[in-house]
Amino acid sequence: GAGVSQSPSNKVTEKGKDVELRCDPISGHTALYWYRQSLGQGLEFLIYFQGNSAPDKSGLPSDRFSAERTGGSVSTLTIQRTQQEDSAVYLCASSRQGSNAEAFFGQGTRLTVV
Amino acid sequence: DAKTTQPPSMDCAEGRAANLPCNHSTISGNEYVYWYRQIHSQGPQYIIHGLKNNETNEMASLIITEDRKSSTLILPHATLRDTAVYYCIVRAWSGNNRKLIWGLGTSLAVNP
């Protein structure tokens, strides 16, 4: 596609449920990032994938958060046993050349935990 | 990466130039100044970046002071569609997006 695609655009879930958020990066982009943005806040880095290298998971806030990237393309961010503080917009971005290239962002998934 | 300081909000009349300031007094010699904006309910959008020379593209101009401790993003003829939160970020060319510190940015309101 022309840009980074994320689905769903909105997700409401009950506390304690697991959720999966999907990201389709721009074709040919080898780097993929997940960020989180709470209401009125800046972006918070979560995880980074670059090609076949081991992902940088240093931003994941707890072990309830995990992500995978299959075939170097689509990525799924999974949040287990969701809590109300997980409510945020989850943004995915991809870039062409690696960690220092310009990142193109998707529209995000707005997650609401009730 | 160095930290940046921006005013929390600004107003601008439609058709006028919008000048958004950013302080980055601890910027290092190899760090670039990047500007992104985020329109409501959308992901951030890259605008422009520069090292020490002034830069211009189809979206905006970037003016960096000679000591590189501050910069100004200029939208020459602001439109209502330019209403957004504008983020100023400094980053080394060899740095990486995942370590960027995203502050609260400047919320620009373009008024008719």
Side-chain angles (χ1 to χ4, degrees):
Chain A
V4 177
S5 177
Q6 291 187 246
S7 60
S9 55
N10 283 284
K11 176 72 176 179
V12 179
T13 190
E14 293 181 353
K15 178 181 174 180
K17 300 281 190 182
D18 298 351
V19 294
E20 285 190 352
L21 312 179
R22 177 187 169 103
C23 172
D24 274 285
I26 294 172
S27 178
H29 281 193
T30 58
L32 186 147
Y33 310 78
W34 283 98
Y35 293 86
R36 177 169 72 174
Q37 187 173 31
S38 300
L39 186 64
Q41 301 297 311
L43 273 66
E44 174 190 4
F45 165 73
L46 297 177
I47 189 169
Y48 163 71
F49 296 90
Q50 171 56 44
N52 296 322
S53 302
D56 177 354
K57 305 178 182 180
S58 60
L60 295 179
S62 78
D63 59 7
R64 295 186 295 105
F65 288 72
S66 63
E68 62 178 23
R69 188 179 184 190
T70 55
S73 180
V74 172
S75 176
T76 302
L77 176 69
T78 301
I79 308 174
Q80 295 178 311
R81 305 180 302 281
T82 53
Q83 303 295 313
Q84 288 186 328
E85 60 262 29
D86 299 334
S87 296
V89 176
Y90 289 81
L91 290 158
C92 176
S94 68
S95 66
R96 192 171 47 244
Q97 297 170 346
S99 61
N100 63 337
E102 285 320 301
F104 294 84
F105 285 82
Q107 301 286 58
T109 293
R110 181 175 298 279
L111 176 66
T112 304
V113 182
V114 297
Chain B
D1 295 313
K3 189 175 179 180
T4 62
T5 304
Q6 300 176 252
S9 64
M10 292 184 64
D11 285 282
C12 177
E14 187 179 17
R16 306 297 292 270
N19 299 298
L20 293 95
C22 179
N23 287 321
H24 31 79
S25 58
T26 60
I27 192 170
S28 301
N30 67 339
E31 288 182 319
Y32 285 67
V33 180
Y34 285 77
W35 283 83
Y36 283 80
R37 73 179 182 184
Q38 189 172 24
I39 296 171
H40 183 62
S41 298
Q42 297 183 22
Q45 176 190 25
Y46 165 80
I47 301 173
I48 197 168
H49 75 280
L51 181 63
K52 54 182 178 181
N53 297 321
N54 297 337
E55 302 288 343
T56 296
N57 62 22
E58 64 278 5
M59 290 183 68
S61 295
L62 175 60
I63 308 299
I64 302 174
T65 58
E66 191 171 345
D67 63 7
R68 304 206 324 120
K69 293 184 184 299
S70 65
S71 61
T72 301
L73 179 75
I74 301 173
L75 308 178
H77 306 287
T79 70
L80 298 179
R81 289 191 300 270
D82 292 322
T83 293
V85 177
Y86 287 77
Y87 295 96
C88 168
I89 299 166
V90 294
R91 191 192 87 190
W93 184 245
S94 61
N96 51 75
N97 292 311
R98 64 193 183 275
K99 300 298 184 185
L100 294 180
I101 300 172
W102 292 74
L104 299 180
T106 295
S107 179
L108 174 69
V110 180
N111 304 308

